[in-house]
Amino acid sequence: LMRRETMTFFAGVMRANSPVTQLLNADYTYLNEKLASYYGIEGVRGDQFRKVSLKGTSRGGLLTHGSVLTVTSNPTRTSPVKRGKWILDNLLNTPPPPAPPNVPELEKEQLSGSLRERMEQHRENPACAACHQMMDPLGFALENFDAVGRWRDREAGHPVDASGELPDGTQFEGVEQLRALLAGKRRNDFVRCVAEKMLIYATGRGTEYYDQCAID
């Protein structure tokens, strides 16, 4: 059902010839009764998917789809790193470099506290800090959604802190401000990312220097 929501939503944006930024900040989605109930949205009845307003909720756009939130989580918890990396890769086309070798996974380190506190301790390793400064703030903005896309206010007994700050000093709080940032200040980056990925899909190859004029 989560997959169908995302596919139907994307098709709706395309068929209506809506601005591509609707993928980020649309105040509607497509749900049936079962998925709406899972999200805690009332008033949807039946198995058929239909357009549902999200006004008055914290959801909107691809970033709050259960499909995206689930595939960017670990099996037992959320992953601000995976979620931040997904945004950099698929929305801004600025993928971070691969992790350095011999860096232990978060669960294997002797860390304590909330997930944010453990991530901050993990970032004390200089080899990790540079990339995590780009990824983690974006991922933490989605921390109000658990590993399978349901809303929450607390994580492991700690209040969720969904604030973030990018390396350039831009600050934001939660998914709504993150959406506004991506569709506003970073709009050109997002639009260019979509254009380049569509070109890759259409041609079946990566882009070359001589494709830049077409992307422009």
Side-chain angles (χ1 to χ4, degrees), residues 62-79:
L62 287 173
L63 287 177
T64 64
H65 280 206
S67 59
V68 173
L69 293 164
T70 300
V71 300
T72 54
S73 293
N74 288 335
T76 58
R77 64 165 176 82
T78 60
S79 174

Side-chain angles (χ1 to χ4, degrees), residues 16 24 31 34 78 84-85 89 102 107 116 118 131 166 175 181 187 196 198:
L24 293 176
L31 304 172
K34 188 172 183 180
T78 60
K85 183 178 185 298
D89 275 342
N102 303 319
E107 282 79 5
R116 178 181 283 269
R118 285 181 283 142
C131 293
L166 297 178
V175 65
L181 170 66
R187 178 185 182 279
E196 183 166 338
M198 288 181 69

Side-chain angles (χ1 to χ4, degrees), residues 10 15 80 105 108 207 209:
F10 180 78
R15 288 173 179 151
E105 295 181 11
K108 295 181 180 179
T207 55
Y209 70 91

Side-chain angles (χ1 to χ4, degrees), residues 1-3 5 31-45 49 54 59 64-71 73 83 144-152:
L1 296 179
M2 290 177 182
R3 177 182 172 87
E5 174 196 10
L31 304 172
N32 69 354
E33 181 176 355
K34 188 172 183 180
L35 189 55
S37 176
Y38 183 80
Y39 286 165
I41 296 173
E42 299 179 351
V44 180
R45 298 288 181 266
F49 272 70
L54 296 174
R59 295 187 184 270
T64 64
H65 280 206
S67 59
V68 173
L69 293 164
T70 300
V71 300
S73 293
R83 289 176 174 179
N144 279 117
F145 297 97
D146 69 12
V148 284
R150 294 172 299 197
W151 181 265
R152 63 181 181 178

Side-chain angles (χ1 to χ4, degrees), residues 14-28:
M14 294 290 287
R15 288 173 179 151
N17 197 29
S18 300
V20 72
T21 49
Q22 285 274 289
L23 295 173
L24 293 176
N25 58 14
D27 60 357
Y28 62 87

Side-chain angles (χ1 to χ4, degrees), residues 62-141:
L62 287 173
L63 287 177
T64 64
H65 280 206
S67 59
V68 173
L69 293 164
T70 300
V71 300
T72 54
S73 293
N74 288 335
T76 58
R77 64 165 176 82
T78 60
S79 174
V81 175
K82 288 183 179 179
R83 289 176 174 179
K85 183 178 185 298
W86 189 88
I87 292 171
L88 291 174
D89 275 342
N90 297 291
L91 302 183
L92 299 176
N93 207 21
T94 54
N102 303 319
V103 175
E105 295 181 11
L106 195 63
E107 282 79 5
K108 295 181 180 179
E109 295 186 79
Q110 299 300 312
L111 306 175
S112 60
S114 67
L115 179 59
R116 178 181 283 269
E117 290 168 342
R118 285 181 283 142
M119 291 295 300
E120 288 174 352
Q121 294 167 53
H122 178 75
R123 284 202 303 271
E124 291 177 359
N125 183 339
C128 304
C131 293
H132 280 282
Q133 286 176 352
M134 296 187 295
M135 297 185 293
D136 294 3
L138 299 171
F140 276 122

